[in-house]
Amino acid sequence: MKMANLLIALGVLAMASSFAIAYDPSPLQDLCVATEDYSSGVLVNGKFCKDPEHVTADDFSFSGLNNARETSKQLGIRTNLLTVEEIPGLNTNGLSIVRIDYSPGGVNPPHNHPRAAEIITVLEGTIYAGFITSNPDHRLFAKILKPGDTVDVFVFPFGLIHFQFNIGRSPAVAIAALSSQNPGVVTSANTIFGAVPSLNLQLLARAYHLDKNIVANLTKQEWVNPSDLNSYSSYY
């Protein structure tokens, strides 16, 4: 009986692992333009598919990504992520795109995307960007990225913590693509010190080798998203 229970448990863990590391499902049709018209009756990847007879070129386009947005005062950055919410034709294609504006000294703080890898290119300015591998190595891979005769691009692997920092004296702009139509974002500091309700202070103090008073002060800070009002979307 114990062996049977063990085999069942291992089977459940194997299935859970396969779901946990799965990418966006591959499409089984040419088009599945997202629609809020539930009468279509076809639900794919969290969005209903528009009747193909009513699909237009506008469902696959977006205008305005070239427009700069005011950066937040706290981080000096603003992200403008375009997902299936803004471009319905992205539905089932496992893609999203983001414009990132940085003021001088602006930081996109350490964060990760639980459902996506990312590739970034800098259009203006000078950005220090990198990622850190998981346990037990915690290796840092980082480069200074800037436009010019040779355009720099950099990859942030699936699920790993990464960051960007404008080290120049002028504003900077970057464009990044992500391998999910709903990549999600987990900003490390926000998650740990901005949790609601707050985590146990003694737990945090011991986990981060910090004085309890420092931890208490950190939990009282205002933790904002890199985009302030327009954060990475999540509609599931």
Side-chain angles (χ1 to χ4, degrees), residues 78-230:
R78 176 73 66 134
T79 62
N80 184 16
L81 179 71
L82 302 182
T83 67
V84 66
E85 299 291 342
E86 292 75 27
I87 309 176
L90 281 175
N91 196 37
T92 76
N93 283 295
L95 290 171
S96 51
I97 187 170
V98 60
R99 173 187 169 121
I100 312 171
D101 290 283
Y102 313 79
S103 61
V107 173
N108 195 359
H111 64 282
N112 72 291
H113 305 291
R115 294 180 290 276
E118 180 178 356
I119 185 168
I120 189 172
T121 184
V122 174
L123 304 182
E124 300 175 18
T126 305
I127 298 295
Y128 174 65
F131 66 88
I132 304 164
T133 63
S134 57
N135 296 351
D137 298 327
H138 310 129
R139 291 186 64 191
L140 170 66
F141 293 86
K143 287 195 70 174
I144 294 175
L145 309 176
K146 53 187 176 181
D149 294 333
T150 58
V151 178
D152 291 329
V153 297
F154 198 75
V155 173
F156 304 125
F158 194 104
L160 294 186
I161 290 176
H162 55 282
F163 58 86
Q164 300 111 43
F165 175 33
N166 182 4
I167 59 175
R169 297 182 179 179
S170 60
V173 180
I175 294 288
L178 299 101
S179 62
S180 173
Q181 70 178 56
N182 183 29
V185 64
V186 180
T187 307
S188 303
N190 297 35
T191 304
I192 299 300
F193 298 107
V196 180
S198 298
L199 274 70
N200 181 280
L201 297 184
Q202 187 173 346
L203 178 155
L204 292 177
R206 186 162 188 178
Y208 288 91
H209 305 180
L210 295 172
D211 181 87
K212 189 175 179 180
N213 292 326
I214 294 177
V215 171
N217 181 56
L218 286 171
T219 60
K220 294 176 183 177
Q221 299 295 318
E222 179 186 3
W223 297 97
V224 300
N225 292 317
S227 53
D228 276 349
L229 299 178
N230 181 25

Side-chain angles (χ1 to χ4, degrees), residues 25-61:
S26 298
L28 299 177
Q29 65 288 313
D30 287 345
L31 308 173
C32 179
V33 173
T35 180
E36 300 298 330
D37 180 10
Y38 301 149
S39 64
S40 66
V42 180
L43 184 64
V44 180
N45 288 8
K47 291 291 182 180
F48 285 88
C49 296
K50 181 189 271 189
D51 184 340
E53 295 297 323
H54 298 155
V55 171
T56 70
D58 290 339
D59 291 318
F60 302 91
S61 67

